[in-house]
Amino acid sequence: MTSKKIIPARNWGQRVIAALLIAVVALLVFMVGTSRHINWSAVPQYILDDTILDGIRLTILFTILSMVISVVAGAILATMRLASNPVLSGFASLYIWFFRGTPLLVQIIFWFNIQLFIPSIDIGSIHIDTNSIVTAFVAALLALSLNEAAYMAEIIRGGLLAVDNGQQEAAKALGYTPVQSMLRIIFPQALRVIIPPIGNQTISMLKTTSLVSVVAAQDLLTRAQNIYARNFLIIELLIVASIWYLVMTTVASAIQLVIESRLGKSTNQAPGLLQGALRLMRAEGRNG
Amino acid sequence: MNTSMIASAAKPIVEAIDVHKSFGSLEVLKGINLTVGKGEVVCLLGPSGSGKSTFLRCINHLERMTAGRILVDGQLIGYHERGDTLHEMSGKELAVQRRDIGMVFQRFNLFAHQDVLTNISQPPVLNRGKSRDEAVARARELLKMVDLEGRGSAYPYQLSGGQQQRVAIARALAMNPKLMLFDEPTSALDPELVGEVLNVMRKLAADGMTMIVVTHELSFAREVADRIVFMDRGVVVEEGPAREVLDNPKQERTQAFLRRMH
């Protein structure tokens, strides 16, 4: 028997499109790279600038704080949404509807201007100027957290609903109180469903924080803007900021990958990172 | 007849009086009366939709009845009686009552994120104030009793259905319940795994555990049950000693059901 050489189909159409794509991208790179209007030496000059690094710290701080706050608030909202009391579930629905239905940018500006209708807080003889509490930082953090909490509530609710109802029935039958059942049986199992989307939200939040630059909350983008307001190197500083955003999201994605691979490996054990949180919950559950 | 008279003469473990339950406009329990004495094994038989599982779930208040009352060991389940009204207990109070009532589910419902030993030992640590060591030692004993010695570190998903159900029985027993409820414990099992679960239940019955078993296993009922309660469309059609009901059913509905089962 003679065996003949096999030649796979060429897919000429794809090859043509690929060639065109290469040409277009090369042209774009060439145009940007050789543009006289971009001062490339400014990029390395500013990439490790103290102001920029300080902005990065704030961006990371905003991300971490708003994620922590929104996870806690989201868990509370999700539990309320699933409660039998119509006022509790109604409030949670209304909250989610409102904060998901209005643009985050509007919410940020709103919080920043809250002193316009609440100029001061007066409790008895205590008088506090709203402006002294709700700084740009606080306004930005409030807006990011309260908005994210609405999304988190839906993610957590989805996770809780994904746990088979039989688990809760078994817990009840074994004499677990509602709090014990939630903290020791339902929530630990819901975490496996909840963790991956929380990772996505965190990565998204790293970029979303740039919106707070509208109230000059001193995040990375605010700092870049401050610098280019003085030297007009607009594109250069936006490139610097973009590089840093890419670095942060790439690192965050890598961390997410590690966490998710651990989640995948031990299908029935919480990942190491979560053990501490679980231990905390167990301690709480004991009091329940 | 005879057995139930003996049962009611001694102090009953379960006393259900005129239990009604409706889901919306559908009435699934239309006044169930049942008394179960200490150490008695009662099998609830009946076609699906007859309300037997619903009734069983009322006994530990997993299901809220519409009217009637259920007492377990003399204690009204699920409610505080104040004058003419019954006030439903809080989740915490219900939890305390349920600690004395073991339950085994059709779908096992082992805690999926815990290994077998934790499944069995955690409830008594949390809810019976046992020390961890004590609870783990007892869990190992129970595992031996259900023929699963040495499987303590396995996770539920690593076990067969029959093994999971035996763990579920051990878990319920770890709370030292006064009463065990079985809700179709072998209905979700492959036929060849039914025997191992029934064997454990036989052992339990022989040890004098009070058991109420919703089942379709007629041979098990014949062999182990002191009494059979046949339900259909939300009422008790017939009850009596196992052999009497199975071999000599008096009611036409019971006869029809038994004919279909053979």
Side-chain angles (χ1 to χ4, degrees):
Chain A
M1 227 168 58
T2 57
S3 76
K4 294 187 177 172
K5 197 178 166 196
I6 294 169
I7 298 165
R10 298 279 196 215
N11 290 329
W12 285 109
Q14 286 190 24
R15 289 183 180 207
V16 170
I17 293 167
L20 276 174
L21 201 62
I22 290 170
V24 169
V25 171
L27 189 68
L28 214 66
V29 170
F30 179 77
M31 274 169 58
V32 174
T34 61
S35 168
R36 285 168 201 214
H37 307 291
I38 298 178
N39 179 1
W40 284 105
S41 61
V43 173
Q45 187 192 332
Y46 282 104
I47 195 113
L48 293 173
D49 187 277
D50 281 345
T51 317
I52 294 288
L53 292 184
D54 213 38
I56 291 168
R57 269 192 286 276
L58 224 66
T59 287
I60 293 174
L61 186 67
F62 272 132
T63 304
I64 292 174
L65 282 181
S66 60
M67 288 312 289
V68 169
I69 296 171
S70 65
V71 166
V72 173
I76 295 168
L77 282 167
T79 320
M80 282 170 72
R81 181 106 197 247
L82 296 172
S84 53
N85 186 307
V87 175
L88 296 185
S89 65
F91 173 83
S93 302
L94 196 71
Y95 181 99
I96 292 164
W97 170 77
F98 181 81
F99 281 90
R100 288 203 309 184
T102 54
L104 176 55
L105 191 51
V106 173
Q107 291 173 29
I108 294 170
I109 299 170
F110 171 85
W111 284 109
F112 188 63
N113 289 299
I114 192 146
Q115 88 281 358
L116 291 181
F117 70 98
I118 309 177
S120 64
I121 300 163
D122 294 280
I123 308 161
S125 60
I126 305 163
H127 172 88
I128 305 163
D129 219 0
T130 310
N131 256 352
S132 66
I133 308 175
V134 187
T135 57
F137 178 85
V138 172
L141 187 61
L142 267 175
L144 290 174
S145 307
L146 296 183
N147 180 265
E148 187 62 26
Y151 290 90
M152 216 46 95
E154 289 295 86
I155 290 172
I156 293 172
R157 186 172 72 105
L160 294 177
L161 291 177
V163 178
D164 182 60
N165 193 36
Q167 297 285 309
Q168 193 183 359
E169 289 210 328
K172 274 186 185 175
L174 286 160
Y176 283 51
T177 64
V179 175
Q180 283 177 334
S181 151
M182 182 54 115
L183 294 181
R184 285 166 177 275
I185 306 301
I186 311 297
F187 214 68
Q189 293 186 60
L191 277 183
R192 221 169 303 136
V193 183
I194 294 170
I195 294 291
I198 287 185
N200 292 341
Q201 292 295 106
T202 308
I203 291 165
S204 171
M205 180 59 85
L206 277 168
K207 297 167 292 170
T208 307
T209 53
S210 63
L211 285 178
V212 305
S213 62
V214 290
V215 296
Q218 305 306 319
D219 69 309
L220 175 54
L221 184 59
T222 309
R223 301 301 174 100
Q225 286 174 329
N226 287 347
I227 297 173
Y228 72 58
R230 274 180 275 116
N231 62 16
F232 300 105
L233 296 168
I234 298 174
I235 299 296
E236 293 78 356
L237 278 147
L238 287 181
I239 290 172
V240 167
S242 298
I243 290 171
W244 277 116
Y245 282 120
L246 278 171
V247 168
M248 287 190 282
T249 52
T250 306
V251 170
S253 301
I255 294 171
Q256 186 192 22
L257 212 66
V258 172
I259 293 175
E260 280 185 23
S261 73
R262 281 201 199 177
L263 275 173
K265 243 183 264 166
S266 55
T267 44
N268 275 283
Q269 232 175 349
L273 269 172
L274 292 170
Q275 291 289 4
L278 286 180
R279 228 166 281 137
L280 245 173
M281 283 194 282
R282 280 194 205 114
E284 269 308 302
R286 198 172 299 251
N287 303 329
Chain B
M1 270 299 150
N2 211 7
T3 347
S4 60
M5 267 155 66
I6 293 168
S8 49
K11 188 185 163 208
I13 291 282
V14 179
E15 231 182 324
I17 302 154
D18 199 26
V19 174
H20 288 259
K21 168 74 187 175
S22 303
F23 290 107
S25 60
L26 181 72
E27 195 176 24
V28 287
L29 297 179
K30 299 169 185 166
I32 304 289
N33 290 291
L34 181 73
T35 305
V36 179
K38 196 169 163 49
E40 210 182 357
V41 177
V42 174
C43 281
L44 295 181
L45 301 184
S48 48
S50 59
K52 49 198 194 310
S53 280
T54 305
F55 173 65
L56 194 77
R57 291 160 57 81
C58 284
I59 297 176
N60 65 353
H61 204 69
L62 279 186
E63 212 71 74
R64 189 185 288 137
M65 55 193 176
T66 320
R69 45 177 32 213
I70 291 175
L71 295 104
V72 172
D73 208 17
Q75 224 188 351
L76 184 63
I77 292 296
Y79 300 93
H80 293 295
E81 194 166 13
R82 293 194 198 114
D84 282 348
T85 49
L86 295 179
H87 298 261
E88 192 175 26
M89 289 180 172
S90 71
K92 236 171 162 170
E93 291 169 314
L94 286 171
V96 173
Q97 284 195 329
R98 287 181 181 130
R99 285 167 196 172
D100 290 333
I101 307 170
M103 185 160 196
V104 174
F105 298 88
Q106 183 178 352
R107 300 216 44 90
F108 331 130
N109 296 345
L110 293 181
F111 298 138
H113 62 304
Q114 298 178 343
D115 64 18
V116 163
L117 210 59
T118 313
N119 259 284
I120 303 173
S121 63
Q122 189 184 68
V125 169
L126 286 180
N127 299 327
R128 286 280 193 227
K130 282 200 182 179
S131 75
R132 239 192 87 73
D133 292 344
E134 207 182 341
V136 167
R138 173 81 177 127
R140 288 192 206 282
E141 261 173 49
L142 287 165
L143 275 179
K144 198 170 168 185
M145 201 274 271
V146 299
D147 284 324
L148 284 169
E149 205 177 359
R151 297 308 305 272
S153 58
Y155 279 86
Y157 75 98
Q158 297 169 317
L159 302 176
S160 73
Q163 291 172 325
Q164 288 191 51
Q165 194 61 299
R166 285 183 279 148
V167 172
I169 293 172
R171 177 175 71 171
L173 290 175
M175 289 294 287
N176 284 329
K178 294 171 183 161
L179 162 74
M180 285 282 282
L181 308 175
F182 293 85
D183 188 5
E184 304 202 25
T186 58
S187 297
L189 296 177
D190 292 335
E192 76 270 22
L193 303 177
V194 169
E196 59 191 57
V197 171
L198 293 182
N199 275 339
V200 169
M201 291 170 63
R202 265 185 212 109
K203 252 192 259 183
L204 263 188
D207 284 350
M209 176 59 76
T210 311
M211 295 161 65
I212 303 180
V213 186
V214 171
T215 186
H216 293 289
E217 298 289 333
L218 294 188
S219 56
F220 173 80
R222 177 191 305 277
E223 179 195 344
V224 180
D226 296 306
R227 189 149 48 104
I228 282 178
V229 174
F230 177 75
M231 284 176 68
D232 190 19
R233 281 176 244 159
V235 295
V236 172
V237 175
E238 185 167 355
E239 70 170 293
R243 276 170 205 288
E244 209 167 285
V245 175
L246 287 176
D247 300 336
N248 239 328
K250 293 188 180 57
Q251 300 297 321
E252 204 243 314
R253 274 195 272 180
T254 320
Q255 291 161 3
F257 173 76
L258 291 174
R259 264 199 307 279
R260 275 202 310 274
M261 293 293 286
H262 285 304

